[in-house]
Amino acid sequence: MNARLKKNGLVASAFLATSVDGFIAREDGGLDWLVGRGETLGDTGYDDFFASVDALVMGRGTHDIVKDFDEYPYAGKRMLLLSTSLETTDWPDATLHRSLEDVLDTLEREGITRVYVDGGKTVSTFLREGLLSEITISVAPVLIGHGIRLFDQFESDIELEVIATRELGSGFTQSTYRVVPQPEE
Ligand SMILES: NC(=O)c1ccc[n+]([C@@H]2O[C@H](COP(=O)([O-])OP(=O)(O)OC[C@H]3O[C@@H](n4cnc5c(N)ncnc54)[C@H](OP(=O)(O)O)[C@@H]3O)[C@@H](O)[C@H]2O)c1
């Protein structure tokens, strides 16, 4: 847990979609079970969420999928890529970081407090360190059996408090949770 950043007012949030069985992608990163299913989703709140953050912290696994999108979806936002293996990036306003500590130092140095954390392992890293404040999960009405899980295994329970739950279109449900700070925080 990094108390220094909590003190500096970091508000890190995640906004993801899962299958009912808790996967964010197929093993090969495929999102076919998600994309195309949500044509009548309605307003998911994503645009407001995106507008509310100053920067993204993204794991390399998500980068590797997004880099093949036709259009870069994060234009205008500072991007911190977390990876021990990526050598370069040509994304605008993006920097590479080898460790969470380096990400935290950079956010502090640049005075960035409102952060969108993306990628299963990266979200779990923030949760494990007590650095995630809020998480919104939209659940698609499908079981895909295997794939990349949203959450790692944690050594102890992480309590969540539900802020809102609602039905979206296309059979999706969405819940937003506040992460309850652990006692030592
Ligand atoms: N359904 C959704 O809403 C949604 C949202 C986002 C992503 N996705 C999908 O999820 C998949 C990627 O998820 P993922 O579980 O692979 O997680 P990820 O967080 O995107 O990427 C994991 C990688 O990030 C780097 N990393 C994470 N924590 C680190 C740390 N503490 N220190 C150094 N490096 C760290 C490592 O890169 P290195 O191996 O280079 O060290 C690690 O292998 C993609 O297929 C993406 O499309 C789905």
Side-chain angles (χ1 to χ4, degrees):
M1 202 275 296
N2 192 309
R4 176 176 60 86
L5 264 172
K6 278 282 177 197
K7 253 195 317 222
N8 288 347
L10 178 74
V11 181
S13 308
F15 196 111
L16 304 105
T18 70
S19 59
V20 169
D21 45 355
F23 297 105
I24 53 173
R26 294 198 194 275
E27 262 142 30
D28 65 357
L31 296 171
D32 57 289
W33 56 274
L34 177 63
V35 179
R37 182 180 293 274
E39 270 145 26
T40 55
L41 260 185
D43 179 11
T44 63
Y46 179 80
D47 291 346
D48 287 345
F49 169 73
F50 187 72
S52 76
V53 299
D54 303 314
L56 284 90
V57 177
M58 179 177 289
R60 195 258 313 153
T62 303
H63 164 274
D64 286 355
I65 297 297
V66 174
K67 74 176 169 39
D68 293 331
F69 285 7
D70 290 339
E71 206 175 310
Y72 179 67
Y74 311 111
K77 295 285 180 196
R78 181 78 172 84
M79 169 68 71
L80 289 83
L81 289 169
L82 191 51
S83 172
T84 59
S85 62
L86 262 185
E87 295 295 336
T88 57
T89 174
D90 54 8
W91 281 2
D93 306 313
T95 47
L96 289 173
H97 301 273
R98 297 278 178 237
S99 67
L100 179 64
E101 213 29 65
D102 187 31
V103 164
L104 301 181
D105 286 344
T106 305
L107 293 173
E108 183 179 14
R109 197 168 54 246
E110 297 185 13
I112 294 169
T113 53
R114 298 175 305 167
V115 172
Y116 169 6
V117 181
D118 208 16
K121 289 202 179 63
T122 302
V123 167
S124 291
T125 297
F126 271 71
L127 274 169
R128 189 173 292 108
E129 299 300 325
L131 291 167
L132 200 78
S133 301
E134 209 172 281
I135 182 163
T136 295
I137 304 172
S138 303
V139 180
V142 62
L143 303 163
I144 64 171
H146 26 229
I148 299 173
R149 291 207 166 273
L150 170 52
F151 298 116
D152 273 355
Q153 294 182 336
F154 300 111
E155 283 92 57
S156 53
D157 294 353
I158 296 172
E159 295 292 333
L160 306 174
E161 197 175 86
V162 72
I163 295 173
T165 281
R166 62 184 179 131
E167 278 180 42
L168 302 174
S170 302
F172 281 62
T173 57
Q174 183 186 71
S175 294
T176 298
Y177 301 92
R178 183 180 83 91
V179 183
V180 177
Q182 288 156 30
E184 66 275 19
E185 294 174 37

